[in-house]
Amino acid sequence: MRTGHLATLLAHAPEPGGVMGSAAEDRLDPTVFSRRVDSGAARLRQAGVSEGDLVAVWGPNALDWVVAALAIWACGAALLPLPPRWTDHEVASLVANLPLRAVLAPSAYRTRAQALGLNVLDWTLREEAPQSRPTNQVGATARTWSPELAALVATSGSTGRPKLAMLSITGLRATAIATAAQLELAPGSVYGLPLPLHHVGGLGALCRVLVSGASLALGGVPPADVAGWHGQAVSHASLVPTQLGDCLAVWGEAGWPASLRAVMVGGAAPPPDLAARCPQAFATYGLTEAGGTVTLSPASAQPGSSGLPLPGVAIQVRRDDGGLVPPSEVGTLWVRGPGLMMGYWDDPAATAQALQDGWLRTGDVGFLDAAGAVHVLARRQDLIVSGGENVYPAEVEAALARLPEVAESLVLGLPDPRWGQCVVAVVVPRDHLPAPSLESLRTGLEPYLARFKHPRRLLTLPALPRLANGKLDRVAVRAWAEEVRV
């Protein structure tokens, strides 16, 4: 099991624990787990995968996802996790110019991947692998990146076009070790993960489980899966605030698993009332470009914050001119640490803008309090975080522009008691066509956007206000939308 990137990740670590699914029989004990990864890596090598290649995994959370990803790393190849809820159009746009060697996917996704012209292997890696090296979608793979590259993780930007953050194996390992230590993960611990593995939060959880020798418990989202969490004696977990609130509402004191010792709450700072009701809650802040986790500390220590920086991580708050601001004053958050990305794949301009002198300009707005805890006030200007999922307005606006009944649109996020924020589309209907309904918009967006990115509310205007420079006046539209909100 300890070859390639996997050997780097597991250096000096205990033997990995097992992996458990939601069903009692759906589990791999440590010995079987290691054997499956070794066998999978051998199959990939037979299929022509070697060090420096890029291989995707496309499918929902499952034991086979974990085995496939680790088999890729054991070969020394880089992992491209494809979001399972994305449409074929979104996936095709992402992989169009990538030197992708193969895609590992379950049967439900194999036909879709083949229709996109991708080389597909069953992600169980149990079938006979081809003996000849498969033809690459865009030609033979040539290493154009550092041998440290372990994963390309999709993240959007202000243009709405997905970018790929290049994460190193040493960066993932350093972040995993630091977070595992803060959470006191160890052999015998069981980490419950309802978050998607393709997301940097899920991938980071997998890494911290591996470096600590803990076991990973996949399954349904609590509290619906409360029986599974009790049965698996889950000791640690990653949740978003909405999930934690649901757990507290349904489980109550009597139903809370006695084994549960620590809950990482990400996607937004846990509200003080949730933190007070859940002493196991740890506040955290992170982003893909920083390798996942940046801050992590007990939520009760600094109520309302996103926690203190991890050991080895430094955070600064700067003005627009680059000068530092004192504690409690608002500015842009900058991060430095071992988990920072190596850059964006094939986007040197965006890389130069984000990475400067060893620091990452997050674009997030916030402040540091007197204790050094981070308070995030706004994520990357217009970023919408709905139910823990990132939604970039520009991406939704680009999809809306494809619809014939939409002349122009502006997308924003408004506060929502359940989801944190909901996606709101402010639309200018095209002349001589009926104004669209929310249902017709969502139907029209089906081929282009995953459903969690679809607007949950529709507002219409005869025209969108603009600034003197011709840009849309997002501040004015937001103020109007908040005023008319019902």
Side-chain angles (χ1 to χ4, degrees), residues 400 406 408-412 414 422-429 435-438 441 455-464 476-486:
L400 287 168
V406 176
E408 194 173 27
S409 69
L410 185 149
V411 173
L412 50 86
L414 290 181
C422 69
V423 181
V424 179
V426 182
V427 167
V428 177
S437 66
L438 179 62
L441 280 187
R456 294 178 181 270
R457 187 168 177 225
L458 170 65
L459 300 172
T460 59
L461 282 174
L464 294 176
V477 174
R478 176 177 293 279
W480 170 78
E482 290 175 344
E483 189 174 311
V484 302
R485 192 179 186 207
V486 294

Side-chain angles (χ1 to χ4, degrees), residues 58 88 91 103 105-122 127 137:
W58 192 14
D88 293 358
V91 171
V103 177
S107 57
Y109 289 80
R110 293 177 71 183
T111 302
R112 294 172 60 187
Q114 288 167 343
L116 297 177
L118 304 176
N119 300 309
V120 189
L121 296 174
D122 186 272
E127 63 180 17
Q137 180 195 9

Side-chain angles (χ1 to χ4, degrees), residues 14-237:
E15 286 301 316
V19 185
M20 295 177 282
S22 55
E25 68 278 2
D26 192 17
R27 60 183 62 207
L28 299 175
D29 65 39
T31 301
V32 176
F33 180 37
S34 294
R35 191 162 58 240
R36 282 280 309 276
V37 172
D38 290 341
S39 174
R43 293 281 189 186
L44 287 179
R45 294 187 187 99
Q46 290 174 29
V49 174
S50 61
E51 183 178 341
D53 282 343
L54 178 64
V55 182
V57 177
W58 192 14
N61 282 17
L63 272 62
D64 288 324
W65 197 108
V66 175
V67 171
L70 299 190
I72 291 168
W73 280 350
C75 291
L79 166 69
L80 173 66
L82 294 175
R85 295 168 66 184
W86 275 19
T87 65
D88 293 358
H89 173 82
E90 290 169 297
V91 171
S93 298
L94 185 72
V95 305
N97 297 310
L98 287 175
L100 193 59
R101 177 61 61 194
V103 177
L104 307 183
S107 57
Y109 289 80
R110 293 177 71 183
T111 302
R112 294 172 60 187
Q114 288 167 343
L116 297 177
L118 304 176
N119 300 309
V120 189
L121 296 174
D122 186 272
W123 73 354
T124 64
L125 295 171
R126 291 171 177 163
E127 63 180 17
E128 287 298 320
Q131 297 301 311
S132 60
R133 192 175 184 86
T135 302
N136 191 293
Q137 180 195 9
V138 292
T141 302
R143 184 194 289 284
T144 57
W145 48 62
S146 164
E148 279 276 297
L149 181 67
L152 297 181
V153 182
T155 179
S156 295
S158 59
T159 64
R161 180 183 179 185
K163 297 195 291 289
L164 288 166
M166 300 189 293
L167 303 183
S168 71
I169 192 63
T170 53
L172 289 171
R173 180 176 182 269
T175 301
I177 290 173
T179 54
Q182 293 289 92
L183 297 170
E184 298 183 347
L185 273 172
S189 300
V190 178
Y191 204 106
L193 184 68
L195 303 182
L197 284 162
H198 77 269
H199 189 277
V200 73
L203 193 62
L206 172 60
C207 290
R208 75 179 65 104
V209 164
L210 291 169
V211 301
S212 65
S215 295
L216 182 67
L218 302 172
V221 176
D225 194 37
V226 61
W229 278 38
H230 277 290
Q232 294 165 344
V234 169
S235 59
H236 297 71

